[in-house]
Amino acid sequence: MNGSSTALIFLGLLLVGGIISFVKQKMPTQLIVLLSIGAAMCLVAGVMRLEVWN
């Protein structure tokens, strides 16, 4: 596990926490969808960069 994959996974989890917070605050749905797309991309990129696939 290298630094960039760790950073991407951490950022993705941070964004997931933001999604949960925004849902509780009843923020606009478009903002929540945009945040969830970004979180999903960060998590997928972090997992794909893991060195266990080689």
Side-chain angles (χ1 to χ4, degrees):
M1 199 165 178
N2 56 14
S4 60
S5 64
T6 304
L8 284 169
I9 292 172
F10 179 75
L11 181 62
L13 292 175
L14 188 72
L15 289 174
V16 168
I19 293 168
I20 294 169
S21 174
F22 280 12
V23 168
K24 286 182 180 179
Q25 294 178 24
K26 298 185 179 10
M27 297 292 273
T29 307
Q30 296 169 343
L31 183 62
I32 295 170
V33 168
L34 184 64
L35 197 60
S36 62
I37 290 170
M41 287 194 308
C42 283
L43 288 173
V44 168
V47 169
M48 293 298 287
R49 288 191 56 90
L50 287 176
E51 295 172 358
V52 297
W53 307 115
N54 291 334

